[in-house]
Amino acid sequence: MNPTINEVHCIDCLEGLAAIEPGSIDLVFADPPFNIGYQYDVYKDNRPYHEYLEWSRRWMELVYKALKPTGTFWLAIGDEYAAELKLIAQREVGFHWRSWVIWYYTFGVNCVRNFSRSHTHLLYFIKHRTHFTFNAWNPAIRVPSARQLVYNDRRAEPAGRLPDNTWILRPQDVPGGFAEDQDTWYFPRVAGTFKEREGFHGCQMPEQLLGRIIRCCSNPLEIVLDPFAGSGTTLVVAKKLGRRWLGFDISAEYVERTRQRLAAARAGDPLDGPEDPLSSAPKSAGTPGLRGKVKRRLRAAVASKRKRRGDFDSSDIEEAIKSAYLCSRNGCSSDHVLADPELNYSFIEQCQRKGLPGTPRDWNLCLLRLRKARRLPKVECRSRILTLRDMDDYIFASEIAAEQLRVELDLTLD
């Protein structure tokens, strides 16, 4: 029996994965027990070495089978077994390795006789070497380059850049020394005092970290699977980002709490935690401040994240949206700009160049609201007359898509 989509099931991951229709899942994020003696409410996290590796091989083989040919697999794992599980995934299971990302965090495990633990390994695999989802031009994935943030260089790519490699010390001790555009990702661990903390599970991932992975490696309405649902963060983020989702956990308590979190989340809700993770890192005493221009931009970015999504009440922002629309429309209407990917990317580019706060979703919503309120400049638009014959190919598909939005994601057509 194929497990129900948009549900978290109280079931062992091996049983749940085996029941999935082969080749049906788009993205799997797995944060399994690290086998370090952690106290879960049901699972015993202290298997013998070879037994743990054999169990890991079995569930990863089932993940491989469940994924579509274009599917992606992310594995979060600690120091103790990272190397072994990477080799098993590649050499025995058949995955192709793409990247070894380090999630660096504060509030880690303090050690007295060793270096304090402050990172988790995020191993990024794909099923097919050349055919996979990687949304490189998603503005929510790309980050400002040094040319943009520091030098204000007009030659900089307006959409920013993708991550690269780096080593990093504590970010609050090295202002300007840690950049988001690297594959050592800094997101604060969800500590016990954080508002984001659910409290019923000790290994809760930050929503913003999972948001980066889900945005990058899947598309709306695709299926995201977490075989070790735990606190349910993967599924909650998938739902907020308009994906379908599926999870397994052997703990009845975790499953019930996760269902409560999912019931409170809606597609389109903002993710918990700061999108600019440095905003949550307090600066150490005596540390020199960031350069004035960078500090101002960071302040503005953080302030924009606190605004309600699309809640633009500034006349300056409204005028900037109108200007961006006029510069990008290429003779087309605002509806055309919202619907056409090329025109919309041009519109987003214009908004970025104007330094508007918020996200592309905010700017598109603002343009839509201005159009509905009839506050856009009156301009002549190219018209295209569509006959019923022209529309025949699209009507049925559009009805299906609209119904999916209504039933599966609880969204309106807007």
Side-chain angles (χ1 to χ4, degrees):
M1 183 184 73
N2 198 29
T4 308
I5 301 299
N6 291 350
E7 179 61 276
V8 54
H9 300 266
C10 189
I11 192 173
D12 182 273
C13 71
L14 294 177
E15 187 181 344
L17 286 166
I20 293 175
E21 181 184 348
S24 62
I25 303 297
D26 297 281
L27 169 64
V28 173
F29 178 86
D31 182 13
F34 288 5
N35 209 40
I36 55 175
Y38 186 84
Q39 293 297 313
Y40 294 96
D41 71 333
V42 176
Y43 177 83
K44 292 183 179 179
D45 190 37
N46 55 355
R47 295 175 183 239
Y49 177 80
H50 291 292
E51 181 184 321
Y52 178 76
L53 294 184
E54 173 60 20
W55 173 75
S56 298
R57 182 187 61 77
R58 285 168 60 206
W59 69 256
M60 285 194 287
E61 284 177 342
L62 292 170
V63 164
Y64 186 92
K65 184 180 177 183
L67 280 170
K68 291 180 180 177
T70 55
T72 299
F73 169 43
W74 281 81
L75 170 63
I77 195 67
D79 294 345
E80 291 77 8
Y81 292 92
E84 289 94 329
L85 265 57
K86 178 181 182 291
L87 289 176
I88 290 171
Q90 284 182 264
R91 296 185 180 179
E92 298 182 33
V93 178
F95 282 108
H96 299 285
W97 172 70
R98 284 212 82 206
S99 190
W100 189 318
V101 172
I102 299 297
W103 167 31
Y104 167 79
Y105 48 76
T106 49
F107 301 100
V109 178
N110 185 51
C111 298
V112 177
R113 299 176 62 84
N114 200 347
F115 301 112
S116 295
R117 186 189 293 258
S118 62
H119 68 272
T120 293
H121 305 276
L122 300 173
L123 306 181
Y124 170 24
F125 301 98
I126 50 177
K127 194 169 180 179
H128 192 283
R129 191 181 295 278
T130 56
H131 295 86
F132 55 91
T133 298
F134 189 79
N135 296 316
W137 288 98
N138 185 331
I141 301 303
R142 301 183 74 87
V143 293
S145 65
R147 279 187 171 183
Q148 290 171 298
L149 281 178
V150 181
Y151 306 111
N152 200 24
D153 191 331
R154 292 183 180 178
R155 296 172 296 174
E157 168 58 55
R161 56 171 301 200
L162 287 170
D164 57 14
N165 299 333
T166 187
W167 284 81
I168 185 61
L169 303 176
R170 282 162 43 92
Q172 58 266 51
D173 291 338
V174 192
F178 180 86
E180 195 182 17
D181 59 345
Q182 298 161 342
D183 76 354
T184 297
W185 296 356
Y186 172 62
F187 291 90
R189 192 171 65 89
V190 186
T193 57
F194 283 25
K195 184 179 179 181
E196 185 181 347
R197 180 79 166 196
E198 293 296 326
F200 66 90
H201 193 284
C203 304
Q204 185 178 336
M205 285 273 185
E207 288 196 7
Q208 294 293 343
L209 182 146
L210 286 160
R212 176 179 288 182
I213 290 171
I214 291 171
R215 285 174 174 131
C216 183
C217 297
S218 71
N219 297 304
L221 292 180
E222 290 186 342
I223 302 174
V224 177
L225 165 67
D226 188 339
F228 307 94
S231 65
T233 303
T234 304
L235 311 183
V236 169
V237 173
K239 183 176 182 180
K240 287 182 177 181
L241 295 179
R243 275 65 171 172
R244 292 181 288 165
W245 41 272
L246 174 63
F248 308 128
D249 205 282
I250 58 173
S251 167
E253 181 187 352
Y254 294 169
V255 168
E256 181 55 34
R257 296 287 196 96
T258 294
R259 286 173 178 162
Q260 292 171 15
R261 288 188 69 190
L262 286 162
R266 291 173 63 88
D269 283 352
L271 304 187
D272 288 344
E275 289 189 30
D276 168 25
L278 292 182
S279 68
S280 67
K283 189 174 72 173
S284 300
T287 305
L290 293 171
R291 291 179 58 177
K293 185 181 293 185
V294 179
K295 186 185 284 185
R296 284 194 298 274
R297 290 190 183 188
L298 285 174
R299 248 194 241 119
V302 173
S304 73
K305 308 309 178 193
R306 291 176 180 161
K307 295 186 67 147
R308 286 183 55 204
R309 190 173 61 258
D311 186 17
F312 297 102
D313 54 6
S314 162
S315 58
D316 290 338
I317 292 177
E318 184 175 308
E319 289 306 311
I321 292 287
K322 291 177 183 177
S323 174
Y325 159 63
L326 292 173
C327 292
S328 60
R329 73 186 196 91
N330 194 25
C332 297
S333 67
S334 57
D335 286 341
H336 201 142
V337 170
L338 288 164
D340 185 286
E342 287 188 18
L343 287 177
N344 193 250
Y345 181 74
S346 177
F347 169 69
I348 288 167
E349 240 185 0
Q350 291 293 330
C351 293
Q352 288 172 329
R353 287 177 182 170
K354 294 175 186 302
L356 282 173
T359 66
R361 177 187 173 86
D362 298 329
W363 306 328
N364 281 327
L365 278 173
C366 187
L367 180 60
L368 179 65
R369 288 169 183 169
L370 288 173
R371 193 269 290 163
K372 283 185 171 181
R374 299 184 179 180
R375 294 212 302 270
L376 287 177
K378 291 184 178 178
V379 290
E380 215 171 293
C381 298
R382 286 198 310 243
S383 59
R384 180 186 171 193
I385 299 174
L386 292 174
T387 66
L388 286 175
R389 192 170 187 178
D390 293 329
M391 294 163 57
D392 238 11
D393 293 338
Y394 304 101
I395 290 173
F396 188 53
S398 299
E399 287 178 357
I400 294 171
E403 186 66 6
Q404 280 186 311
L405 287 172
R406 186 184 69 80
V407 174
E408 296 180 11
L409 298 178
D410 194 24
L411 290 174
T412 64
L413 189 57
D414 281 345

